[in-house]
Amino acid sequence: LHLFGNMLYLWIFGDNVEDYLGKIKNVRTNSARIIKELGLQIDDLKISFNSLGPDRKNLEQDFFASLEGLAGEKANFLLQSFVDVAQKQTALKARLSALQQILDFYEKAVKKLDIRIEAIEKNYEALLRGIRVVDIPGANLDIIIRQKP
């Protein structure tokens, strides 16, 4: 009878722990994919930003040369072109900064998820019984997963 009771208990509560662990592992996997995608986007933005640098420098130099040569229309065109390139660089830099902050957030969150996953795996049997045995620093594993009515 005692063995049957233990088997029933593990059957009821084991699924809840497995479901929870499966969900956070899925979040971890998706986060790793997002981190990779963000890294690729950041690399592309850096390449785009850096590729505009020589154009910006040349336009600036040509603009001042046109001013000295009193070529008004050419200077106006070069100035507008310089402004366009500078605006593109500013937009790229803003997007790059935003994506870097998002990447930093994901990387911090994944570290916390890894700690949580490790804590649950090391405490699996104990969690089923409502006992906390192995405390992993930073895991905040103050949960006991119970079956919902």
Side-chain angles (χ1 to χ4, degrees):
L1 186 62
H2 180 70
L3 179 62
F4 176 73
N6 283 345
M7 289 174 57
L8 180 63
Y9 186 86
L10 289 173
W11 179 71
I12 292 171
F13 293 107
D15 287 345
N16 289 335
V17 173
E18 282 297 322
D19 287 346
Y20 178 74
L21 186 58
K23 287 177 184 176
I24 63 172
K25 282 184 174 182
N26 188 38
V27 169
R28 171 63 173 93
T29 300
N30 289 337
S31 296
R33 180 186 48 77
I34 290 169
I35 286 171
K36 184 177 179 179
E37 289 173 8
L38 285 170
L40 292 172
Q41 287 180 23
I42 287 170
D43 289 344
D44 287 345
L45 287 173
K46 285 179 180 178
I47 290 168
S48 296
F49 179 85
N50 291 333
S51 72
L52 292 174
D55 291 344
R56 183 176 173 175
K57 183 178 179 181
N58 291 336
L59 287 168
E60 183 179 19
Q61 289 172 348
D62 292 347
F63 166 72
F64 285 113
S66 294
L67 280 180
E68 287 179 16
L70 301 175
E73 285 186 41
K74 184 176 180 182
N76 187 41
F77 172 77
L78 290 168
L79 177 61
Q80 186 57 49
S81 298
F82 172 81
V83 169
D84 290 344
V85 169
Q87 288 175 340
K88 286 178 186 175
Q89 275 191 311
T90 300
L92 288 169
K93 190 173 184 178
R95 181 152 174 79
L96 180 62
S97 177
L99 287 177
Q100 187 62 55
Q101 288 180 13
I102 293 169
L103 178 62
D104 292 345
F105 169 80
Y106 267 96
E107 287 174 340
K108 288 176 188 174
V110 164
K111 286 179 184 176
K112 290 181 180 181
L113 271 177
D114 288 341
I115 292 170
R116 173 66 57 117
I117 290 168
E118 179 186 5
I120 291 171
E121 287 174 341
K122 287 187 176 181
N123 286 291
Y124 182 78
E125 291 298 321
L127 284 170
L128 292 178
R129 290 174 176 72
I131 303 168
R132 193 162 118 189
V133 178
V134 179
D135 188 16
I136 307 298
N140 296 325
L141 193 61
D142 54 356
I143 60 166
I144 297 174
I145 301 172
R146 302 200 185 278
Q147 182 171 356
K148 296 177 184 170

